[in-house]
Amino acid sequence: MTQRLAGFLAAAFVSLTLPAQAGTYSATQHPIVLAHGLLGWDTAAGIDYWYGITRDLQSNGAKVYTTKVSAVNSSEVRGEQLVQQVQTILAITGASKVNLIGHSQGNQSVRYAAAVIPNQVASVTSVSGTTGGSPVADLIAGVAPAGSVSNALLDGVVSAVGKLIDLFSGSPGLPASGNAVLTSLTTTGAANFNRNFPAGVPTTRCGQGAAEVNGVRYYSWSGTGLITSGFDVSDYFMAATSLAFGKAPNDGLVGQCDSHLGQVIRSDYALNHLDTINHFFGVTGRVDPVALYRQHANRLKLAGL
């Protein structure tokens, strides 16, 4: 690893130190590493992607690390970036393994890492993950087919937005590709990824996958809410994108069944795709997503993870 890459990796995540009076409810044996989704960040302009989640886990005894990979790129590129950061975290902390939690496209990132370095991963948890891809991506790919002018324009705009997010989150220079991420998130692209990284993927439609593969435990949860709070402006965007699913239950960007991975804790919470990371700024309706992460950390703790 070059000195430049080592410096980048060391700066690519934020370590949260436990306060002196922390509780122990979420004190997992291994550190928790959070992997963001498409157009994601760790902290940008003072705004946390995992809004209030890292702090709550911290206050309940967990050691938490947030990571930053390309906001816009293929699942394989992002997964390799995550692998490098996980290894840096292990080197710095002296821990032997980590518990990976990925939101949205972070589903593929954490699964990639578990496949490449299984001996360094205790568990993988997918939150609103794109295991089966997204009809929204299929719709966009149909409107802007490869080789078309509209595709070139879309690639340019999405790539530029991704680079801007990376810049504001303190990670300029990360590679960005709108076409690569679009391909990864279509149902066909997801199926290709699943063939290469099948651990935890259900073998029946809307079923559960293997709960443990190569010593790594697999979990998932997601929601089927859309407008969960009339005060959250992003709810209306989720309601609009949900039209791509027809009558199938979904969270606005991912279908209920397509979110399943490993042991499905629950896939019908009254939460939409953005609610599951506690945005828009904690306005999420009657279900508290922060509590779900806290409870899941306790689940991992009780499992000896």
Side-chain angles (χ1 to χ4, degrees):
M1 182 185 295
T2 66
Q3 184 176 14
R4 180 180 177 186
L5 178 59
F8 159 70
L9 293 174
F13 61 84
V14 178
S15 172
L16 300 179
T17 305
L18 295 178
Q21 301 301 317
T24 61
Y25 182 78
S26 299
T28 55
Q29 177 180 343
H30 306 291
I32 293 174
V33 174
L34 302 175
H36 65 76
L38 168 66
L39 297 175
W41 62 93
D42 46 7
T43 299
I47 301 171
D48 291 336
Y49 181 88
W50 306 90
Y51 192 75
I53 295 165
T54 49
R55 186 67 60 185
D56 184 84
L57 289 171
Q58 171 193 9
S59 66
N60 282 280
K63 296 178 181 178
V64 185
Y65 295 83
T66 59
T67 55
K68 176 68 184 79
V69 301
S70 292
V72 173
N73 217 312
S74 72
S75 295
E76 290 80 4
V77 167
R78 288 160 51 96
E80 188 57 34
Q81 291 170 348
L82 179 63
V83 167
Q84 298 301 321
Q85 292 177 56
V86 166
Q87 293 181 323
T88 301
I89 292 169
L90 293 174
I92 291 173
T93 63
S96 60
K97 295 183 177 184
V98 294
N99 291 301
L100 297 174
I101 299 179
H103 173 253
S104 192
Q105 194 187 5
N107 162 295
Q108 280 94 332
S109 300
V110 295
R111 290 166 54 202
Y112 181 99
V116 173
I117 51 172
N119 293 335
Q120 295 175 316
V121 177
S123 71
V124 161
T125 302
S126 172
V127 179
S128 301
T130 50
T131 304
S134 172
V136 176
D138 290 344
L139 180 62
I140 295 172
V143 172
S148 67
V149 173
S150 57
N151 179 268
L153 290 173
L154 178 66
D155 177 49
V157 170
V158 174
S159 297
V161 171
K163 289 180 179 179
L164 189 62
I165 291 172
D166 292 340
L167 175 65
F168 275 99
S169 61
S171 300
L174 288 174
S177 173
N179 274 336
V181 72
L182 179 61
T183 299
S184 289
L185 295 180
T186 61
T187 53
T188 299
N192 291 335
F193 185 88
N194 292 344
R195 278 190 286 272
N196 293 325
F197 305 97
V201 176
T203 56
T204 60
R205 179 62 180 166
C206 221
Q208 300 198 48
E212 184 172 338
V213 181
N214 292 330
V216 180
R217 300 285 285 273
Y218 286 82
Y219 303 90
S220 63
W221 84 74
S222 59
T224 54
L226 294 172
I227 300 179
T228 58
S229 169
F231 300 101
D232 182 351
V233 295
S234 66
D235 284 3
Y236 302 99
F237 175 74
M238 293 293 102
T241 54
S242 73
L243 297 175
F245 295 84
K247 295 182 179 180
N250 67 91
D251 67 3
L253 290 176
V254 177
Q256 179 183 24
C257 296
D258 290 326
S259 71
H260 287 192
L261 183 76
Q263 178 185 339
V264 180
I265 297 165
R266 185 172 171 179
S267 60
D268 63 349
Y269 286 112
L271 297 167
N272 64 37
H273 197 74
L274 297 181
D275 287 340
T276 52
I277 50 171
N278 202 33
H279 276 291
F280 179 75
F281 300 101
V283 182
T284 58
R286 67 179 185 274
V287 178
D288 179 9
V290 176
L292 298 184
Y293 286 87
R294 184 191 317 132
Q295 292 161 7
H296 185 58
N298 180 257
R299 182 180 294 110
L300 298 176
K301 173 187 173 181
L302 295 178
L305 303 173

